[in-house]
Protein backbone atom coordinates (compact mmCIF):
# COMPACT_ATOMS: atom_id res chain seq x y z
CA UNK A 1 0.00 0.00 0.00
CA UNK A 2 1.15 3.55 -0.60
CA UNK A 3 0.67 6.97 0.93
CA UNK A 4 1.03 9.59 -1.79
CA UNK A 5 1.70 13.03 -0.35
CA UNK A 6 1.24 15.96 -2.72
CA UNK A 7 2.97 19.24 -1.97
CA UNK A 8 2.06 22.29 -3.99
CA UNK A 9 5.07 23.94 -5.60
CA UNK A 10 3.16 26.66 -7.41
CA UNK A 11 0.52 29.26 -6.57
CA UNK A 12 -2.94 28.09 -5.45
CA UNK A 13 -4.48 30.06 -8.31
CA UNK A 14 -2.68 27.78 -10.79
CA UNK A 15 -3.57 24.68 -8.72
CA UNK A 16 -7.23 25.72 -8.91
CA UNK A 17 -6.97 26.13 -12.70
CA UNK A 18 -5.82 22.50 -12.96
CA UNK A 19 -8.16 21.08 -10.32
CA UNK A 20 -10.86 19.77 -12.68
CA UNK A 21 -8.24 17.82 -14.65
CA UNK A 22 -6.74 16.52 -11.40
CA UNK A 23 -10.18 15.33 -10.21
CA UNK A 24 -10.75 13.54 -13.54
CA UNK A 25 -7.33 11.89 -13.11
CA UNK A 26 -8.35 10.83 -9.56
CA UNK A 27 -11.65 9.43 -10.87
CA UNK A 28 -9.79 7.27 -13.39
CA UNK A 29 -7.67 5.70 -10.67
CA UNK A 30 -10.62 5.27 -8.29
CA UNK A 31 -12.45 3.45 -11.09
CA UNK A 32 -9.47 1.12 -11.59
CA UNK A 33 -9.48 0.25 -7.87
CA UNK A 34 -6.02 1.72 -7.29
CA UNK A 35 -7.03 4.70 -5.11
CA UNK A 36 -8.86 4.13 -1.82
CA UNK A 37 -9.06 7.64 -0.33
CA UNK A 38 -7.86 11.15 -1.06
CA UNK A 39 -8.24 14.71 0.10
CA UNK A 40 -6.67 18.09 0.77
CA UNK A 41 -4.22 18.65 3.57
CA UNK A 42 -5.09 21.24 6.18
CA UNK A 43 -3.60 23.81 5.80
CA UNK A 44 -4.09 23.63 2.03
CA UNK A 45 -0.54 23.08 0.87
CA UNK A 46 -1.17 19.79 -0.91
CA UNK A 47 -3.07 16.55 -0.47
CA UNK A 48 -2.93 12.87 0.43
CA UNK A 49 -3.91 9.80 -1.58
CA UNK A 50 -4.06 6.25 -0.22
CA UNK A 51 -3.30 3.76 -3.01
CA UNK A 52 -3.18 -0.02 -3.19
CA UNK A 53 -2.62 -2.89 -5.57
CA UNK A 54 0.39 -1.66 -7.49
CA UNK A 55 4.13 -1.78 -7.45
CA UNK A 56 6.33 1.27 -6.86
CA UNK A 57 7.27 1.68 -10.53
CA UNK A 58 3.59 1.89 -11.49
CA UNK A 59 2.88 4.35 -8.68
CA UNK A 60 5.76 6.55 -9.88
CA UNK A 61 4.37 6.43 -13.44
CA UNK A 62 0.87 7.33 -12.25
CA UNK A 63 1.97 10.22 -10.02
CA UNK A 64 4.08 11.62 -12.87
CA UNK A 65 0.91 11.77 -15.00
CA UNK A 66 -1.08 13.85 -12.49
CA UNK A 67 -2.12 17.11 -14.20
CA UNK A 68 -0.85 19.00 -11.16
CA UNK A 69 2.61 17.51 -11.79
CA UNK A 70 2.58 17.98 -15.56
CA UNK A 71 1.29 21.51 -14.92
CA UNK A 72 4.34 22.21 -12.75
CA UNK A 73 2.53 22.97 -9.48
CA UNK A 74 2.93 19.77 -7.45
CA UNK A 75 5.55 17.29 -6.27
CA UNK A 76 4.91 13.86 -4.76
CA UNK A 77 6.45 12.06 -1.81
CA UNK A 78 5.62 8.34 -1.95
CA UNK A 79 5.73 6.13 1.15
CA UNK A 80 5.20 2.40 0.77
CA UNK A 81 3.99 0.38 3.74
CA UNK A 82 2.67 -3.10 4.44
CA UNK A 83 -0.92 -2.83 5.70
CA UNK A 84 -0.98 -5.76 8.10
CA UNK A 85 -3.96 -4.33 10.02
CA UNK A 86 -6.96 -2.49 8.65
CA UNK A 87 -10.48 -1.46 9.56
CA UNK A 88 -13.01 -4.13 8.59
CA UNK A 89 -14.06 -2.10 5.54
CA UNK A 90 -10.51 -2.37 4.18
CA UNK A 91 -10.00 -6.06 5.00
CA UNK A 92 -9.57 -6.93 1.32
CA UNK A 93 -6.45 -4.74 1.29
CA UNK A 94 -4.65 -6.37 4.24
CA UNK A 95 -1.18 -7.61 3.48
CA UNK A 96 1.16 -10.16 5.02
CA UNK A 97 4.74 -9.48 5.89
CA UNK A 98 7.16 -11.19 3.52
CA UNK A 99 8.91 -14.18 5.11
CA UNK A 100 12.22 -12.33 5.42
CA UNK A 101 10.52 -9.60 7.48
CA UNK A 102 8.81 -11.86 10.01
Amino acid sequence: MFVLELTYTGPLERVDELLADHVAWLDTHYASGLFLASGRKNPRDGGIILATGADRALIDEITASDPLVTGGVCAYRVTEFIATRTAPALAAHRQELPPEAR
Side-chain angles (χ1 to χ4, degrees):
M1 195 167 293
F2 299 88
V3 176
L4 313 178
E5 182 179 7
L6 297 76
T7 300
Y8 298 146
T9 58
L12 282 179
E13 296 79 19
R14 181 68 179 135
V15 170
D16 288 339
E17 290 172 6
L18 296 167
L19 203 52
D21 291 338
H22 173 72
V23 170
W25 173 86
L26 287 169
D27 289 344
T28 297
H29 296 295
Y30 273 111
S32 76
L34 183 69
F35 289 174
L36 300 177
S38 62
R40 291 179 178 176
K41 293 191 292 186
N42 187 18
R44 188 180 175 206
D45 61 0
I48 300 289
I49 301 169
L50 184 60
T52 189
D55 63 27
R56 177 61 188 257
L58 180 57
I59 290 293
D60 289 342
E61 181 180 317
I62 289 168
T63 57
S65 72
D66 182 342
L68 297 177
V69 172
T70 60
V73 296
C74 174
Y76 274 85
R77 177 178 175 213
V78 177
T79 303
E80 184 173 3
F81 73 102
I82 301 169
T84 56
R85 295 183 56 125
T86 67
L90 294 175
H93 301 287
R94 286 185 194 141
Q95 300 169 293
E96 291 192 24
L97 290 173
E100 65 274 7
R102 293 183 193 159

